[in-house]
Amino acid sequence: MIAPSSSVEPAEAGLASQMLEVSLGPQHPSTHGVFRMDVTLEGETVVKLKPVFGYLHRNHEKIAENFSYLASMPYTDRLDYFCSLTNNWAYALSVEKLTGLAAPERAEYIRVILAELTRLVNHSALAGFLLQDMGALGTPLMYAFRERESILDLFESLTGSRMMCNYMRFGGCRCDLPPGWLEQARGLVARFPSFLDEFEALITNNEIVRARTEGVGVLPAKLAVNAGVTGPMLRASGVNYDIRKVDRYGIYGRMSFRVPLGGRGDVFDRYMVRILEMRESLKILDQALRDIPGGPIMDPKAKLRNLRPKPGEAYGRIEAPKGELGFYLISDGGPNPYRYRVRPPSLINLTILEDMCLGHTVADAVVILGSVDIVLGEVDR
Amino acid sequence: MSGLLKAVLAIAGIMGVFGSCFALTTVIERKLLGRMQNRYGPNRVGPCGLLQPVADALKMLIKEDIVPHSADKLLHFLAPLLLTVPVWLSFAVLPFGRNLCAIDLDAGVLFFFAIGSATELAVFMAGWSSQNKYSLIGAMRAIAQMISYEVPLVLSTVPVIMLAGSLSLNAIVAAQGTATAGGLERWNAFTPWGLAGLLLFLIASTAETNRSPFDLPEGESEIIAGFLTEYSGFKYALFFLGEYLGMFALTALAVTLFLGGWHAPFAWLEWAPSWLWFAVKFASLIFVFIWVRATLPRLRLDQLLNFSWRFLVPLCLMNLIVAAAWCWTASWASPAAIPLRWLFCAALIALPGHGLAHVLRGQVPPPRQYHYAE
Amino acid sequence: MNGAGIIKGMIETARNLAGSYYDPGRLTTVQYPEEKLPPVENARTIPFLVYDGADPMAGLRCTACTICEKECPPQCIYIVKDQVKKPDYLGKMQLQPKVFDIDISVCMSCGICAEVCPFDAIKMDQVFELSTDDRFGGLLFDKTKLAKPNDYFAKLHRTEAGETDARREDDKRKAEAAAAARAAAAKESALEGSAP
């Protein structure tokens, strides 16, 4: 019922118009953190966009070179602070590759359960924030956060902290599930689909949301692959690449789930792919919560202190909710890593922002940025 | 002397009632928005948070009034006044109850719209005098929006005026007072053209007062507050007041034109005080505004303008034809006349509406298929 | 129908509005500080030192091994060993800390210190109302401020305290049994040695 954005007319030829440079500055309610976009506007359309970040740089990689491997684990929580458990897992995975440790089965099941819960947390927060950027005054955001709170309560009762979980260890998990945790998790998984249905009723068929997001910020599949984009953004452009299926790390090989793919690669597709991914995560959670065995949760060979991996290098990656999160470690035999590098999915996905925003208006630029799903802790490290 | 006394009473009454209504609405809106978002609204200041406006007013009053160095001082000072004063004036012609109309002008509706349009000038003054290119662009967008939505606003009231035969608001309310056979009063909203007119009027007034989903001027304009950027303290409070009072004035006009003013819905309910009926209808329309604000995201400017010119204006013109059709079929006397007339008139407006929506959406993309990979 | 999505959205919001009056799931606010959520067993904020018995300084389990100081990621623990030794729960003489400072404005609540402590001496507390207006020393907790009794630990972390106490009891019994066995063996060898 409302015209799509392609009806924005370009400036008439021959009319001298000045280009306006606006800095959607670091302090801004819709840029998901301290992030700046220098946009050059002609009339209302964006002709150039330069993302400026680094306002949250905290020297994470350099700090890791001066401390032990274990000491970096709480710092990884703070990378993508919405999804601390998946950050922990990626780091634990790369150290396990470096040292040859392996987590026992129960620990792998716990890891998968927590990772999929984290995916639910992240995607529902993203849907809420996307609508918030569009001006929906926080109503979908509040609904999403209401559900997120029950998942965060689960995290608190297991790991001790709602967001900065610091739970995975090299060779397993820090502590075992407290009694009653599995029942609480099963109850949550049973309740979640009804929340998703309510949420979708509010948003998915809403004409205004459709008009604001359809055809906006199209990312062609070829460009996405060339730019190294990963995660739901890549799958929304139609490329079938999910590291859970490609690498089959952990016990994802045993789980049966599907990977939703979008058709057009615009903002609506990215939002919809995330909603569908949430439904698939619920399937994985059902299977994992049903099949989780008993047993130890740490590799008997693992030790907490004085971990000195043999000299070598390893790259461990997982399908984080935002994309491919990888840790590249080089060890020189000492207690501290020689080089510690994070492959942040938010940063790599952000490089393509200008191409997606050209030709759209400023209001669209904000919505497109929201659909890229960045967290500045990860972009800047 | 009694004329002066009447004037003073009217002014005091209107300013008192609608001033406190403004205060109450700010807190009720926040509480309702909160409840719709699964949280409490303000509930610390006073019982149930009802003294929150006092805290807000004190805060606005004691804030530092910053005027930019290069701003045009006189215009910067006058803009909030020019916004608020005409809106207060427009309350003068509205009948709030049986004998509660401050001034019974013969051209009440015309006066209302003429005075209401002065607010657009105030918005531009605010943007221009701030000497800030972002404020100026924000103000120009706001004016584009307000001017575009004036047209459907006025056009949607034309059938009412035509069928009542007068521009005087008292006469329009009186014309809606005579009961039909079933005791149902003749509110304009109980006719197809009245219902369509009410909906069009409400949409247009949401846009006129810069409320969600049309709050682009205050929301995202270059990400700063648009024409309100350089205003702080009491002047900002005056803008806020002007916006809410505009909403009240337009709501009161909607009640007067379409919902029968101070009449009860049924003839046997007329014993209740007339201003109470007015208040009930007024409050329910304000609730609808708040409800819409909580639910819908913002429209982009070009979508907003397209919506007005290519959907609302043609529909308003169609509404005139529907009103004519309703009158033309008034002579039908069969027992199934009323439903048939409704069907006929509803088709007259719904089918073009559907066609216009189709045209407005442009190229309809095929429904989205999400395929899955295993 | 055009506009159906908007209408569905508005019904959703209205349902939440109505539900917030009778359904606790639709109004999840806990009005702190009048209402507080029940404490969660595993939650962690800042560390504290556990002591057994009545005297905080004499019963302190910490032996100043400085493992927590080395492993702490933001390096917020500062320990100075004391030369005076004191007996631990098994009777063995151990070092003790003269100074044990934690700067809780630096502490990031990771819990690694509690994880690596071999003596169950430092555990994670759950207090979070720690604001102070003394910006020079208010957030630097010393030994006396950090020391809390074992009963407090048991109240906070019931399961973990139960396991720790059971283990320590076990160790004590084994140590006493070993000491008794050694004493008996020594007495026997003394008797044998003295018997011609």
Side-chain angles (χ1 to χ4, degrees), chain A residues 123 217 219-221 224 227 229-239 262 265-266 269-271 273-274 277 319 321-323 345-346 348-353 356 368-369 371-374:
Chain A
H123 288 336
L219 182 63
V229 169
T230 51
M233 217 166 121
L234 181 66
R235 294 195 281 279
S237 300
V239 179
D266 55 9
D269 265 349
R270 284 178 222 135
Y271 156 78
V273 158
R274 288 187 170 103
E277 262 186 29
E319 178 73 24
K322 297 190 158 58
S346 304
I348 313 280
N349 291 354
L350 204 55
T351 54
I352 208 68
L353 186 67
M356 287 197 289
I368 295 172
L369 180 65
S371 75
V372 173
D373 192 7
I374 62 168

mmCIF file of all heavy atoms in Angstrom, chain A residues 123 217 219-221 224 227 229-239 262 265-266 269-271 273-274 277 319 321-323 345-346 348-353 356 368-369 371-374:
data_model
loop_
_atom_site.group_PDB
_atom_site.id
_atom_site.type_symbol
_atom_site.label_atom_id
_atom_site.label_comp_id
_atom_site.label_asym_id
_atom_site.label_seq_id
_atom_site.Cartn_x
_atom_site.Cartn_y
_atom_site.Cartn_z
ATOM 1 N N HIS A 123 19.228 -13.144 18.055
ATOM 2 C CA HIS A 123 18.317 -12.822 16.961
ATOM 3 C C HIS A 123 17.079 -12.087 17.442
ATOM 4 O O HIS A 123 16.567 -11.197 16.760
ATOM 5 C CB HIS A 123 17.922 -14.087 16.203
ATOM 6 C CG HIS A 123 19.017 -14.638 15.371
ATOM 7 N ND1 HIS A 123 20.065 -13.879 14.906
ATOM 8 C CD2 HIS A 123 19.235 -15.874 14.891
ATOM 9 C CE1 HIS A 123 20.876 -14.632 14.196
ATOM 10 N NE2 HIS A 123 20.397 -15.845 14.168
ATOM 11 N N GLY A 217 18.580 -1.886 0.607
ATOM 12 C CA GLY A 217 19.859 -2.476 0.990
ATOM 13 C C GLY A 217 20.081 -3.850 0.401
ATOM 14 O O GLY A 217 20.488 -4.768 1.101
ATOM 15 N N LEU A 219 21.831 -6.860 -1.242
ATOM 16 C CA LEU A 219 23.206 -7.322 -1.335
ATOM 17 C C LEU A 219 23.228 -8.509 -2.276
ATOM 18 O O LEU A 219 22.735 -9.582 -1.929
ATOM 19 C CB LEU A 219 23.699 -7.733 0.048
ATOM 20 C CG LEU A 219 25.133 -8.210 0.152
ATOM 21 C CD1 LEU A 219 26.085 -7.121 -0.223
ATOM 22 C CD2 LEU A 219 25.405 -8.702 1.542
ATOM 23 N N PRO A 220 23.778 -8.354 -3.477
ATOM 24 C CA PRO A 220 23.814 -9.490 -4.401
ATOM 25 C C PRO A 220 24.723 -10.587 -3.868
ATOM 26 O O PRO A 220 25.715 -10.317 -3.182
ATOM 27 C CB PRO A 220 24.376 -8.899 -5.692
ATOM 28 C CG PRO A 220 24.500 -7.449 -5.476
ATOM 29 C CD PRO A 220 24.370 -7.151 -4.042
ATOM 30 N N ALA A 221 24.402 -11.825 -4.226
ATOM 31 C CA ALA A 221 25.119 -12.958 -3.638
ATOM 32 C C ALA A 221 26.593 -12.928 -3.986
ATOM 33 O O ALA A 221 27.462 -13.186 -3.153
ATOM 34 C CB ALA A 221 24.476 -14.260 -4.122
ATOM 35 N N ALA A 224 28.453 -10.465 -1.959
ATOM 36 C CA ALA A 224 28.562 -10.901 -0.566
ATOM 37 C C ALA A 224 29.692 -11.903 -0.414
ATOM 38 O O ALA A 224 30.501 -11.824 0.510
ATOM 39 C CB ALA A 224 27.246 -11.521 -0.114
ATOM 40 N N ALA A 227 33.064 -10.221 -0.710
ATOM 41 C CA ALA A 227 33.439 -9.352 0.400
ATOM 42 C C ALA A 227 33.707 -10.128 1.678
ATOM 43 O O ALA A 227 34.093 -9.542 2.673
ATOM 44 C CB ALA A 227 32.323 -8.344 0.658
ATOM 45 N N VAL A 229 31.455 -11.720 3.452
ATOM 46 C CA VAL A 229 30.341 -11.633 4.380
ATOM 47 C C VAL A 229 29.926 -13.044 4.783
ATOM 48 O O VAL A 229 29.929 -13.950 3.965
ATOM 49 C CB VAL A 229 29.175 -10.904 3.689
ATOM 50 C CG1 VAL A 229 27.909 -11.007 4.479
ATOM 51 C CG2 VAL A 229 29.548 -9.470 3.448
ATOM 52 N N THR A 230 29.617 -13.234 6.059
ATOM 53 C CA THR A 230 29.183 -14.557 6.513
ATOM 54 C C THR A 230 27.973 -14.398 7.404
ATOM 55 O O THR A 230 27.611 -13.288 7.786
ATOM 56 C CB THR A 230 30.275 -15.271 7.321
ATOM 57 O OG1 THR A 230 30.723 -14.371 8.324
ATOM 58 C CG2 THR A 230 31.417 -15.701 6.452
ATOM 59 N N GLY A 231 27.381 -15.501 7.740
ATOM 60 C CA GLY A 231 26.292 -15.455 8.703
ATOM 61 C C GLY A 231 24.945 -15.251 8.038
ATOM 62 O O GLY A 231 24.780 -15.479 6.851
ATOM 63 N N PRO A 232 23.959 -14.808 8.824
ATOM 64 C CA PRO A 232 22.615 -14.645 8.261
ATOM 65 C C PRO A 232 22.588 -13.663 7.110
ATOM 66 O O PRO A 232 21.745 -13.777 6.208
ATOM 67 C CB PRO A 232 21.802 -14.125 9.450
ATOM 68 C CG PRO A 232 22.571 -14.476 10.649
ATOM 69 C CD PRO A 232 23.987 -14.518 10.262
ATOM 70 N N MET A 233 23.508 -12.695 7.082
ATOM 71 C CA MET A 233 23.502 -11.735 5.990
ATOM 72 C C MET A 233 23.820 -12.426 4.673
ATOM 73 O O MET A 233 23.248 -12.117 3.628
ATOM 74 C CB MET A 233 24.578 -10.690 6.270
ATOM 75 C CG MET A 233 24.193 -9.327 5.850
ATOM 76 S SD MET A 233 25.293 -8.164 6.545
ATOM 77 C CE MET A 233 25.907 -7.430 5.084
ATOM 78 N N LEU A 234 24.761 -13.390 4.730
ATOM 79 C CA LEU A 234 25.114 -14.104 3.514
ATOM 80 C C LEU A 234 23.983 -15.017 3.087
ATOM 81 O O LEU A 234 23.638 -15.113 1.906
ATOM 82 C CB LEU A 234 26.378 -14.924 3.784
ATOM 83 C CG LEU A 234 26.926 -15.730 2.626
ATOM 84 C CD1 LEU A 234 27.413 -14.810 1.567
ATOM 85 C CD2 LEU A 234 28.047 -16.619 3.107
ATOM 86 N N ARG A 235 23.375 -15.674 4.083
ATOM 87 C CA ARG A 235 22.317 -16.621 3.732
ATOM 88 C C ARG A 235 21.088 -15.889 3.230
ATOM 89 O O ARG A 235 20.326 -16.424 2.428
ATOM 90 C CB ARG A 235 21.993 -17.491 4.940
ATOM 91 C CG ARG A 235 23.153 -18.383 5.304
ATOM 92 C CD ARG A 235 22.712 -19.472 6.223
ATOM 93 N NE ARG A 235 22.585 -18.988 7.590
ATOM 94 C CZ ARG A 235 23.589 -18.857 8.413
ATOM 95 N NH1 ARG A 235 24.803 -19.161 8.037
ATOM 96 N NH2 ARG A 235 23.388 -18.412 9.639
ATOM 97 N N ALA A 236 20.886 -14.652 3.672
ATOM 98 C CA ALA A 236 19.738 -13.896 3.150
ATOM 99 C C ALA A 236 19.936 -13.554 1.682
ATOM 100 O O ALA A 236 18.961 -13.337 0.967
ATOM 101 C CB ALA A 236 19.542 -12.613 3.942
ATOM 102 N N SER A 237 21.190 -13.499 1.232
ATOM 103 C CA SER A 237 21.421 -13.245 -0.190
ATOM 104 C C SER A 237 21.356 -14.519 -0.997
ATOM 105 O O SER A 237 21.571 -14.484 -2.198
ATOM 106 C CB SER A 237 22.793 -12.602 -0.385
ATOM 107 O OG SER A 237 22.864 -11.397 0.298
ATOM 108 N N GLY A 238 21.106 -15.641 -0.355
ATOM 109 C CA GLY A 238 20.877 -16.868 -1.096
ATOM 110 C C GLY A 238 22.045 -17.825 -1.130
ATOM 111 O O GLY A 238 21.955 -18.872 -1.755
ATOM 112 N N VAL A 239 23.150 -17.507 -0.465
ATOM 113 C CA VAL A 239 24.310 -18.391 -0.524
ATOM 114 C C VAL A 239 24.203 -19.395 0.613
ATOM 115 O O VAL A 239 24.021 -19.025 1.770
ATOM 116 C CB VAL A 239 25.600 -17.566 -0.364
ATOM 117 C CG1 VAL A 239 26.794 -18.466 -0.410
ATOM 118 C CG2 VAL A 239 25.675 -16.526 -1.451
ATOM 119 N N GLY A 262 17.513 -16.825 1.958
ATOM 120 C CA GLY A 262 16.647 -15.787 1.415
ATOM 121 C C GLY A 262 16.765 -15.717 -0.083
ATOM 122 O O GLY A 262 17.626 -16.337 -0.686
ATOM 123 N N GLY A 265 17.985 -10.776 -0.655
ATOM 124 C CA GLY A 265 19.100 -10.116 -0.001
ATOM 125 C C GLY A 265 18.835 -8.712 0.475
ATOM 126 O O GLY A 265 19.764 -7.937 0.678
ATOM 127 N N ASP A 266 17.573 -8.365 0.690
ATOM 128 C CA ASP A 266 17.327 -7.029 1.220
ATOM 129 C C ASP A 266 17.089 -7.117 2.725
ATOM 130 O O ASP A 266 17.231 -8.178 3.331
ATOM 131 C CB ASP A 266 16.139 -6.370 0.508
ATOM 132 C CG ASP A 266 14.895 -7.219 0.575
ATOM 133 O OD1 ASP A 266 14.881 -8.229 1.308
ATOM 134 O OD2 ASP A 266 13.931 -6.882 -0.119
ATOM 135 N N ASP A 269 14.624 -9.691 3.955
ATOM 136 C CA ASP A 269 15.127 -11.057 3.906
ATOM 137 C C ASP A 269 16.015 -11.346 5.101
ATOM 138 O O ASP A 269 15.948 -12.420 5.696
ATOM 139 C CB ASP A 269 15.932 -11.277 2.627
ATOM 140 C CG ASP A 269 15.092 -11.880 1.540
ATOM 141 O OD1 ASP A 269 13.970 -12.315 1.859
ATOM 142 O OD2 ASP A 269 15.539 -11.905 0.394
ATOM 143 N N ARG A 270 16.883 -10.374 5.438
ATOM 144 C CA ARG A 270 17.772 -10.618 6.580
ATOM 145 C C ARG A 270 16.981 -10.776 7.860
ATOM 146 O O ARG A 270 17.266 -11.632 8.697
ATOM 147 C CB ARG A 270 18.765 -9.455 6.730
ATOM 148 C CG ARG A 270 19.847 -9.540 5.708
ATOM 149 C CD ARG A 270 20.819 -8.399 5.785
ATOM 150 N NE ARG A 270 21.091 -7.984 4.428
ATOM 151 C CZ ARG A 270 21.118 -6.737 4.015
ATOM 152 N NH1 ARG A 270 20.918 -5.763 4.855
ATOM 153 N NH2 ARG A 270 21.358 -6.462 2.765
ATOM 154 N N TYR A 271 15.970 -9.975 8.027
ATOM 155 C CA TYR A 271 15.139 -10.109 9.231
ATOM 156 C C TYR A 271 14.445 -11.459 9.231
ATOM 157 O O TYR A 271 14.450 -12.185 10.219
ATOM 158 C CB TYR A 271 14.129 -8.961 9.248
ATOM 159 C CG TYR A 271 12.894 -9.242 10.047
ATOM 160 C CD1 TYR A 271 12.913 -9.165 11.429
ATOM 161 C CD2 TYR A 271 11.709 -9.603 9.433
ATOM 162 C CE1 TYR A 271 11.791 -9.442 12.165
ATOM 163 C CE2 TYR A 271 10.585 -9.873 10.158
ATOM 164 C CZ TYR A 271 10.628 -9.790 11.534
ATOM 165 O OH TYR A 271 9.509 -10.067 12.253
ATOM 166 N N VAL A 273 15.199 -14.273 7.604
ATOM 167 C CA VAL A 273 16.109 -15.405 7.756
ATOM 168 C C VAL A 273 16.443 -15.598 9.223
ATOM 169 O O VAL A 273 16.521 -16.729 9.719
ATOM 170 C CB VAL A 273 17.390 -15.180 6.918
ATOM 171 C CG1 VAL A 273 18.541 -16.003 7.427
ATOM 172 C CG2 VAL A 273 17.125 -15.529 5.483
ATOM 173 N N ARG A 274 16.583 -14.506 9.955
ATOM 174 C CA ARG A 274 16.896 -14.648 11.378
ATOM 175 C C ARG A 274 15.724 -15.243 12.141
ATOM 176 O O ARG A 274 15.918 -16.073 13.037
ATOM 177 C CB ARG A 274 17.304 -13.312 11.959
ATOM 178 C CG ARG A 274 18.668 -12.902 11.470
ATOM 179 C CD ARG A 274 19.176 -11.660 12.148
ATOM 180 N NE ARG A 274 20.572 -11.457 11.815
ATOM 181 C CZ ARG A 274 21.013 -10.577 10.944
ATOM 182 N NH1 ARG A 274 20.185 -9.810 10.313
ATOM 183 N NH2 ARG A 274 22.303 -10.461 10.707
ATOM 184 N N GLU A 277 15.744 -18.822 11.365
ATOM 185 C CA GLU A 277 16.847 -19.484 12.052
ATOM 186 C C GLU A 277 16.507 -19.733 13.511
ATOM 187 O O GLU A 277 16.931 -20.719 14.112
ATOM 188 C CB GLU A 277 18.100 -18.600 11.996
ATOM 189 C CG GLU A 277 19.046 -18.986 10.923
ATOM 190 C CD GLU A 277 20.324 -18.210 10.962
ATOM 191 O OE1 GLU A 277 20.747 -17.768 12.046
ATOM 192 O OE2 GLU A 277 20.896 -18.047 9.889
ATOM 193 N N GLU A 319 29.939 -20.943 13.875
ATOM 194 C CA GLU A 319 28.861 -20.130 13.323
ATOM 195 C C GLU A 319 28.273 -19.349 14.483
ATOM 196 O O GLU A 319 27.337 -19.792 15.144
ATOM 197 C CB GLU A 319 27.810 -21.033 12.674
ATOM 198 C CG GLU A 319 26.621 -20.296 12.110
ATOM 199 C CD GLU A 319 26.933 -19.538 10.848
ATOM 200 O OE1 GLU A 319 27.895 -19.914 10.160
ATOM 201 O OE2 GLU A 319 26.218 -18.570 10.544
ATOM 202 N N PRO A 321 26.129 -16.197 16.087
ATOM 203 C CA PRO A 321 24.884 -15.626 15.571
ATOM 204 C C PRO A 321 25.100 -14.534 14.541
ATOM 205 O O PRO A 321 24.234 -14.273 13.719
ATOM 206 C CB PRO A 321 24.196 -15.074 16.812
ATOM 207 C CG PRO A 321 24.744 -15.873 17.925
ATOM 208 C CD PRO A 321 26.126 -16.228 17.543
ATOM 209 N N LYS A 322 26.281 -13.888 14.558
ATOM 210 C CA LYS A 322 26.477 -12.799 13.620
ATOM 211 C C LYS A 322 27.220 -13.218 12.371
ATOM 212 O O LYS A 322 27.284 -12.465 11.404
ATOM 213 C CB LYS A 322 27.244 -11.671 14.292
ATOM 214 C CG LYS A 322 26.450 -11.107 15.433
ATOM 215 C CD LYS A 322 27.059 -9.864 15.971
ATOM 216 C CE LYS A 322 26.046 -9.035 16.712
ATOM 217 N NZ LYS A 322 25.398 -9.703 17.828
ATOM 218 N N GLY A 323 27.821 -14.408 12.384
ATOM 219 C CA GLY A 323 28.595 -14.806 11.227
ATOM 220 C C GLY A 323 29.682 -15.777 11.647
ATOM 221 O O GLY A 323 29.570 -16.465 12.655
ATOM 222 N N PRO A 345 33.061 -11.156 12.872
ATOM 223 C CA PRO A 345 32.103 -11.159 11.768
ATOM 224 C C PRO A 345 31.461 -9.804 11.547
ATOM 225 O O PRO A 345 31.204 -9.414 10.414
ATOM 226 C CB PRO A 345 31.065 -12.208 12.199
ATOM 227 C CG PRO A 345 31.288 -12.421 13.638
ATOM 228 C CD PRO A 345 32.698 -12.088 13.922
ATOM 229 N N SER A 346 31.237 -9.049 12.642
ATOM 230 C CA SER A 346 30.579 -7.750 12.465
ATOM 231 C C SER A 346 31.426 -6.827 11.615
ATOM 232 O O SER A 346 30.925 -6.120 10.750
ATOM 233 C CB SER A 346 30.349 -7.083 13.803
ATOM 234 O OG SER A 346 29.624 -7.905 14.644
ATOM 235 N N ILE A 348 33.760 -7.608 9.326
ATOM 236 C CA ILE A 348 33.833 -8.014 7.930
ATOM 237 C C ILE A 348 32.502 -7.743 7.229
ATOM 238 O O ILE A 348 32.464 -7.311 6.078
ATOM 239 C CB ILE A 348 34.204 -9.508 7.843
ATOM 240 C CG1 ILE A 348 35.376 -9.828 8.758
ATOM 241 C CG2 ILE A 348 34.501 -9.905 6.429
ATOM 242 C CD1 ILE A 348 36.701 -9.477 8.241
ATOM 243 N N ASN A 349 31.404 -7.976 7.945
ATOM 244 C CA ASN A 349 30.101 -7.688 7.324
ATOM 245 C C ASN A 349 29.899 -6.199 7.104
ATOM 246 O O ASN A 349 29.122 -5.792 6.243
ATOM 247 C CB ASN A 349 28.965 -8.201 8.212
ATOM 248 C CG ASN A 349 28.922 -9.703 8.263
ATOM 249 O OD1 ASN A 349 29.664 -10.370 7.558
ATOM 250 N ND2 ASN A 349 28.071 -10.232 9.104
ATOM 251 N N LEU A 350 30.602 -5.385 7.886
ATOM 252 C CA LEU A 350 30.403 -3.941 7.801
ATOM 253 C C LEU A 350 31.097 -3.339 6.599
ATOM 254 O O LEU A 350 30.768 -2.244 6.170
ATOM 255 C CB LEU A 350 30.969 -3.326 9.075
ATOM 256 C CG LEU A 350 30.466 -1.999 9.544
ATOM 257 C CD1 LEU A 350 28.992 -2.049 9.691
ATOM 258 C CD2 LEU A 350 31.109 -1.679 10.867
ATOM 259 N N THR A 351 32.078 -4.060 6.028
ATOM 260 C CA THR A 351 32.836 -3.460 4.947
ATOM 261 C C THR A 351 31.960 -3.223 3.723
ATOM 262 O O THR A 351 32.297 -2.425 2.869
ATOM 263 C CB THR A 351 34.009 -4.356 4.541
ATOM 264 O OG1 THR A 351 33.480 -5.663 4.258
ATOM 265 C CG2 THR A 351 35.004 -4.471 5.655
ATOM 266 N N ILE A 352 30.844 -3.925 3.657
ATOM 267 C CA ILE A 352 30.023 -3.846 2.458
ATOM 268 C C ILE A 352 28.904 -2.815 2.640
ATOM 269 O O ILE A 352 28.029 -2.650 1.778
ATOM 270 C CB ILE A 352 29.459 -5.261 2.167
ATOM 271 C CG1 ILE A 352 29.214 -5.421 0.688
ATOM 272 C CG2 ILE A 352 28.224 -5.531 2.934
ATOM 273 C CD1 ILE A 352 30.487 -5.449 -0.061
ATOM 274 N N LEU A 353 28.971 -2.068 3.741
ATOM 275 C CA LEU A 353 27.872 -1.165 4.069
ATOM 276 C C LEU A 353 27.673 -0.107 2.997
ATOM 277 O O LEU A 353 26.553 0.227 2.615
ATOM 278 C CB LEU A 353 28.149 -0.504 5.421
ATOM 279 C CG LEU A 353 27.052 0.365 5.981
ATOM 280 C CD1 LEU A 353 25.869 -0.465 6.345
ATOM 281 C CD2 LEU A 353 27.545 1.107 7.222
ATOM 282 N N MET A 356 25.802 -1.199 -0.029
ATOM 283 C CA MET A 356 24.379 -1.451 0.161
ATOM 284 C C MET A 356 23.592 -0.171 0.290
ATOM 285 O O MET A 356 22.408 -0.131 -0.010
ATOM 286 C CB MET A 356 24.168 -2.277 1.434
ATOM 287 C CG MET A 356 24.583 -3.705 1.297
ATOM 288 S SD MET A 356 23.883 -4.687 2.600
ATOM 289 C CE MET A 356 24.826 -4.117 3.971
ATOM 290 N N ILE A 368 19.497 -0.127 7.210
ATOM 291 C CA ILE A 368 20.426 -1.111 6.649
ATOM 292 C C ILE A 368 21.490 -1.449 7.683
ATOM 293 O O ILE A 368 21.849 -2.623 7.868
ATOM 294 C CB ILE A 368 21.071 -0.571 5.359
ATOM 295 C CG1 ILE A 368 20.013 -0.391 4.289
ATOM 296 C CG2 ILE A 368 22.152 -1.507 4.872
ATOM 297 C CD1 ILE A 368 20.527 0.298 3.072
ATOM 298 N N LEU A 369 22.000 -0.434 8.367
ATOM 299 C CA LEU A 369 22.987 -0.700 9.398
ATOM 300 C C LEU A 369 22.413 -1.610 10.470
ATOM 301 O O LEU A 369 23.079 -2.512 10.970
ATOM 302 C CB LEU A 369 23.443 0.611 10.024
ATOM 303 C CG LEU A 369 24.484 0.450 11.125
ATOM 304 C CD1 LEU A 369 25.750 -0.094 10.560
ATOM 305 C CD2 LEU A 369 24.736 1.768 11.806
ATOM 306 N N SER A 371 20.258 -3.886 10.020
ATOM 307 C CA SER A 371 20.114 -5.262 9.555
ATOM 308 C C SER A 371 21.439 -5.975 9.447
ATOM 309 O O SER A 371 21.480 -7.189 9.376
ATOM 310 C CB SER A 371 19.429 -5.277 8.197
ATOM 311 O OG SER A 371 20.328 -4.859 7.198
ATOM 312 N N VAL A 372 22.565 -5.227 9.400
ATOM 313 C CA VAL A 372 23.873 -5.878 9.334
ATOM 314 C C VAL A 372 24.188 -6.537 10.678
ATOM 315 O O VAL A 372 24.936 -7.494 10.748
ATOM 316 C CB VAL A 372 24.962 -4.844 8.968
ATOM 317 C CG1 VAL A 372 26.342 -5.441 9.059
ATOM 318 C CG2 VAL A 372 24.734 -4.330 7.577
ATOM 319 N N ASP A 373 23.579 -6.033 11.733
ATOM 320 C CA ASP A 373 23.721 -6.621 13.066
ATOM 321 C C ASP A 373 25.166 -6.532 13.546
ATOM 322 O O ASP A 373 25.913 -7.504 13.543
ATOM 323 C CB ASP A 373 23.281 -8.085 13.028
ATOM 324 C CG ASP A 373 23.139 -8.644 14.430
ATOM 325 O OD1 ASP A 373 23.247 -7.872 15.393
ATOM 326 O OD2 ASP A 373 22.919 -9.850 14.550
ATOM 327 N N ILE A 374 25.563 -5.324 13.898
ATOM 328 C CA ILE A 374 26.916 -5.178 14.415
ATOM 329 C C ILE A 374 26.861 -4.959 15.915
ATOM 330 O O ILE A 374 25.868 -4.492 16.453
ATOM 331 C CB ILE A 374 27.666 -4.000 13.761
ATOM 332 C CG1 ILE A 374 26.947 -2.678 14.067
ATOM 333 C CG2 ILE A 374 27.802 -4.211 12.290
ATOM 334 C CD1 ILE A 374 27.780 -1.497 13.700
#
